Amino acid sequence: MGKCYIAGLLICALVVMNVAQVHGDTNVTITFLDSAISKGAVCLDGSAPAYSYVEGFGNGSHSWIVYLVGGGWCSQISECRDRSSSRLGSSHLMGSQTTFSGILDSNCTFNPDFCNWHKVFIYYCDGSSFMSNIEQIDPKINLTFRGARIFNVMMDEMLAKGMRNAQNAILTGTSAGGLATILHCDKFRKLFSDAIRVKCISDSGFFMHGEGHHGYENRENFFANVIKTHKLANSLSPACTSKRNSSLCFFPEYLVEDIQTPLFMLESAFDRFQLTSLVLGITNCTTYLTRCNSTELGIMRDFRSTFIKTLEQRVHNSSNRGMFVHSCYLHDHVLKSDEWTCLAIANRTMRQAVADWYFDRSSFREIDTKNDSPRNCTNKFCQ
Ligand SMILES: *[C@@H]1O[C@H](CO)[C@@H](O)[C@H](O)[C@H]1NC(C)=O
Ligand SMILES: *[C@@H]1O[C@H](CO)[C@@H](O)[C@H](O)[C@H]1NC(C)=O
Ligand SMILES: *[C@@H]1O[C@H](CO)[C@@H](O)[C@H](O)[C@H]1NC(C)=O
Ligand SMILES: *[C@@H]1O[C@H](CO)[C@@H](O)[C@H](O)[C@H]1NC(C)=O
Ligand SMILES: *[C@@H]1O[C@H](CO)[C@@H](O)[C@H](O)[C@H]1NC(C)=O
Ligand SMILES: *[C@@H]1O[C@H](CO)[C@@H](O)[C@H](O)[C@H]1NC(C)=O
Ligand SMILES: *[C@@H]1O[C@H](CO)[C@@H](O)[C@H](O)[C@H]1NC(C)=O
Ligand SMILES: *[C@@H]1O[C@H](CO)[C@@H](O)[C@H](O)[C@H]1NC(C)=O
Ligand SMILES: *[C@@H]1O[C@H](CO)[C@@H](O)[C@H](O)[C@H]1NC(C)=O
Ligand SMILES: *[C@@H]1O[C@H](CO)[C@@H](O)[C@H](O)[C@H]1NC(C)=O
C-alpha cells in the first residue's frame, strides 16, 4: 500500500485483487508494449506500458472488450515518485500475469454473453486515469506523465490486432479505471463507425464531489491537485470546463451529462473506497461496520442519499444510460466472479443487467432503495 495519507485523506492504491479460482478464471500472461517507448507512451518511470490479451472465438470473434484496471491516483510529485517505484508506476514491477474473471471469464457457463469476446486488460502506470500528456521531462523530477499516450498506443495496438473489424465493443474499467472509462468513453466511440455497437461500462468510477456534504473540500482539493500535478487542465472535457472551474472536471457528476456514448454505471451507494478514503478515513467504523456510531452512520447515510440524488439528476433517464446501484459495502465488481454472476437487484444479476442493456434487450436503471444502511455482504452471492 505504501504512503497513503494526503491532507488527512487516505488515498491508497486500490487494485483489483486476484480472486481465487472459482468459475473458469484463467491467468493471462503480460505483454510489454516496447514499441510504445519510441512514441514516449511510457509509465511514470519511463518503462513500457503493458496489457494482457485473450483472443475471441466463435460468434465473439468480432467483439472486443477493453478493461482498464484501477489503482488510485497520485496528486503530488512526491506521490508520483513513490508510485514510480511500484507496479502502479513501473511495468518492471508488474506481475507476470493477471487473472481474467467476471466479465473477462472465458467460461460460457458463467459469462455467456462475453465469454468468447476478444478481451484486453490494460495495466495502469500513469497515476492520472490515462489522462496525462506532458512533453517535457523535468530533469529534477525525472518522471514521465504520459497516460493519454498510453491509452492511444493501446488502442492502436488493438485496432491492429483486429479491433478495427469489431462489430461490438465495450470500454470498461474499475475505480480509477472506471473514472478513466467515463473520461475516455466518447474518444473510444470515435474509433469505430456509427454502425458498430459501442458502449461504456464504468465500475465504481462515480467519484462524487457532493458539494456541501461531509469531506467535500478534501475531495475537491484532492482531484484539483491530481489535475494540477499532471497538468490536465487543457485535456479535460470542454463541455465541463466551459461551465465551471476546470479543477472540478474529474468529477463524473459534471461529465456524464455531456457524454454521447451509451454509458452504464455499476456502483454501491455505500462505496467502500469512497467512504474510507474520501469521506470518513480509516476508522474503526470504516474497517468494521458494527463499530460505527450514530454520527458515522449518519454521514454514511447522507453520502448514500446524496449519491443517489446525484445519479438521478445527472444520469439521463434514457436507454442510453444504465445504472445498477446496490447497498453492499463494496468497491469494484466486474472482475469479481461472484458479484458479476450473482449479485442482483430487481431479480436481475449484474451480468444480466449489463448484458440486457448492452444488447438492447431491455433498459436497466435500478437502485436498491430498501437498504439505507451499509450492508456487510460476504461476497458469496452465488450461494
Ligand atoms: C492464477 O494465479 C493465481 C495467483 O497468482 C493463483 O493463485 C491461481 O492458482 C492461478 N490460477 C490458474 C488457473 O493458474
Ligand atoms: C453467440 O452464440 C450464443 C450461443 O449460441 C448465443 O447465446 C449468443 O446470443 C450469440 N451471440 C451473438 C452476439 O450472436
Ligand atoms: C465451465 O465451468 C463448468 C463448471 O465448473 C465446467 O463444467 C466446464 O467444463 C467449464 N467449461 C470450460 C470451457 O472450461
Ligand atoms: C531518469 O529516468 C530514466 C528512466 O528510468 C533513467 O534511465 C535515468 O537514469 C534517470 N536519470 C536521472 C538523471 O536520474
Ligand atoms: C479553481 O479551483 C482551484 C483549485 O481549487 C483554485 O485554486 C482556483 O482559484 C479556482 N479558480 C477560479 C477561477 O475560481
Ligand atoms: C477503535 O477500537 C479500539 C478497540 O475497541 C479502541 O481501543 C480504539 O480507541 C478505537 N479507535 C477509535 C479511533 O475510536
Ligand atoms: C463483515 O462480516 C465479516 C464476518 O462476520 C467480518 O469478518 C468483517 O470484518 C465484516 N466487514 C466489515 C466491513 O464490517
Ligand atoms: C463517533 O466516532 C467518532 C470517531 O471515532 C467520534 O469522533 C465521534 O465523537 C463519535 N460520535 C458519537 C456520537 O459517539
Ligand atoms: C424514466 O422515464 C420513464 C418513462 O419516461 C418513467 O416511466 C420512469 O419512471 C422514469 N424513471 C425515473 C427513475 O425517473
Ligand atoms: C423474482 O423472482 C422470483 C422467482 O422467480 C419471484 O418469485 C419474485 O416475485 C420476483 N421478484 C420480483 C421483484 O420480480
Side-chain angles (χ1 to χ4, degrees):
M1 286 279 187
K3 296 192 180 82
C4 291
Y5 284 93
I6 304 111
L9 286 179
L10 173 98
I11 307 290
C12 281
L14 263 198
V15 200
V16 175
M17 308 289 287
N18 281 343
V19 290
Q21 200 204 343
V22 288
H23 303 180
D25 311 346
T26 42
N27 288 335
V28 182
T29 309
I30 193 169
T31 299
F32 300 100
L33 189 55
D34 292 320
S35 63
I37 295 179
S38 63
K39 297 169 190 150
V42 292
C43 300
L44 284 167
D45 73 332
S47 58
Y51 66 89
S52 292
Y53 166 72
V54 169
E55 195 176 355
F57 58 92
N59 67 1
S61 55
H62 293 291
S63 299
W64 285 72
I65 184 157
V66 175
Y67 177 81
L68 306 173
V69 71
W73 309 266
C74 51
S75 73
Q76 308 282 348
I77 294 295
S78 59
E79 292 163 30
C80 296
R81 186 174 294 114
D82 289 347
R83 186 171 273 254
S84 73
S85 50
S86 80
R87 69 199 166 112
L88 290 169
S90 171
S91 62
H92 297 315
L93 302 168
M94 290 171 184
S96 59
Q97 56 182 24
T98 197
T99 306
F100 275 33
S101 49
I103 199 172
L104 300 180
D105 197 323
S106 292
N107 187 318
C108 296
T109 306
F110 298 112
N111 190 30
D113 291 288
F114 307 110
C115 56
N116 59 6
W117 288 34
H118 296 266
K119 302 179 212 100
V120 190
F121 177 108
I122 299 181
Y123 294 80
Y124 181 41
C125 62
D126 61 273
S128 73
S129 284
F130 296 91
M131 289 295 284
S132 56
N133 190 7
I134 305 178
E135 175 64 33
Q136 276 76 34
I137 303 170
D138 181 338
K140 288 199 290 292
I141 299 168
N142 201 23
L143 295 175
T144 32
F145 297 92
R146 302 284 175 74
R149 288 196 209 181
I150 293 176
F151 184 85
N152 290 340
V153 296
M154 287 293 171
M155 294 307 116
D156 288 346
E157 174 81 357
M158 297 310 144
L159 289 168
K161 266 183 174 307
M163 194 167 78
R164 72 172 82 260
N165 301 317
Q167 292 299 316
N168 293 298
I170 290 177
L171 178 66
T172 184
T174 300
S175 195
L179 177 58
T181 298
I182 292 171
L183 291 163
H184 290 281
C185 180
D186 280 343
K187 191 168 150 191
F188 182 72
R189 214 276 157 250
K190 292 199 182 79
L191 300 173
F192 307 92
S193 77
D194 289 349
I196 308 306
R197 193 198 308 268
V198 183
K199 301 193 180 187
C200 302
I201 302 162
S202 173
D203 173 16
S204 310
F206 201 89
F207 293 91
M208 186 174 69
H209 180 212
E211 186 167 17
H213 294 268
H214 195 87
Y216 83 97
E217 292 109 327
N218 287 335
R219 296 194 283 279
E220 213 173 272
N221 288 336
F222 179 73
F223 286 108
N225 283 330
V226 172
I227 288 168
K228 192 168 138 212
T229 297
H230 295 267
K231 297 191 170 49
L232 305 181
N234 295 326
S235 319
L236 296 165
S237 157
C240 178
T241 56
S242 64
K243 282 179 232 165
R244 52 181 64 78
N245 190 324
S246 62
S247 73
L248 295 173
C249 290
F250 246 46
F251 289 116
E253 68 216 65
Y254 307 128
L255 302 172
V256 291
E257 57 196 354
D258 293 305
I259 293 173
Q260 304 298 311
T261 310
L263 172 65
F264 196 104
M265 237 72 68
L266 281 169
E267 297 288 338
S268 166
F270 293 105
D271 183 287
R272 183 170 185 156
F273 175 75
Q274 293 198 54
L275 286 172
T276 303
S277 304
L278 303 167
V279 180
L280 285 162
I282 294 187
T283 63
N284 282 339
C285 163
T286 51
T287 310
Y288 306 102
L289 290 172
T290 50
R291 298 200 198 167
C292 295
N293 65 31
S294 57
T295 313
E296 292 159 327
L297 267 182
I299 292 168
M300 287 189 174
R301 291 199 177 111
D302 177 62
F303 178 86
R304 168 183 174 273
S305 58
T306 310
F307 192 78
I308 290 173
K309 210 179 298 161
T310 305
L311 280 169
E312 283 176 338
Q313 279 169 3
R314 303 285 181 171
V315 181
H316 314 149
N317 183 8
S318 78
S319 58
N320 188 308
R321 295 289 185 260
M323 236 195 300
F324 182 114
V325 185
H326 63 88
S327 307
C328 292
Y329 183 60
L330 296 172
H331 177 76
D332 79 63
H333 311 95
V334 294
L335 296 197
K336 297 264 175 73
S337 300
D338 259 39
E339 291 172 42
W340 176 246
T341 311
C342 300
L343 176 55
I345 307 182
N347 265 2
R348 263 189 281 177
T349 66
M350 197 170 268
R351 178 186 72 66
Q352 291 166 332
V354 167
D356 287 350
W357 170 83
Y358 179 79
F359 290 107
D360 299 309
R361 297 193 285 246
S362 65
S363 60
F364 194 90
R365 251 181 83 99
E366 295 288 341
I367 297 172
D368 172 7
T369 49
K370 286 196 282 291
N371 295 289
D372 75 343
S373 292
R375 295 171 61 210
N376 180 354
C377 302
T378 58
N379 282 16
K380 299 266 181 257
F381 297 100
C382 292
Q383 285 166 1

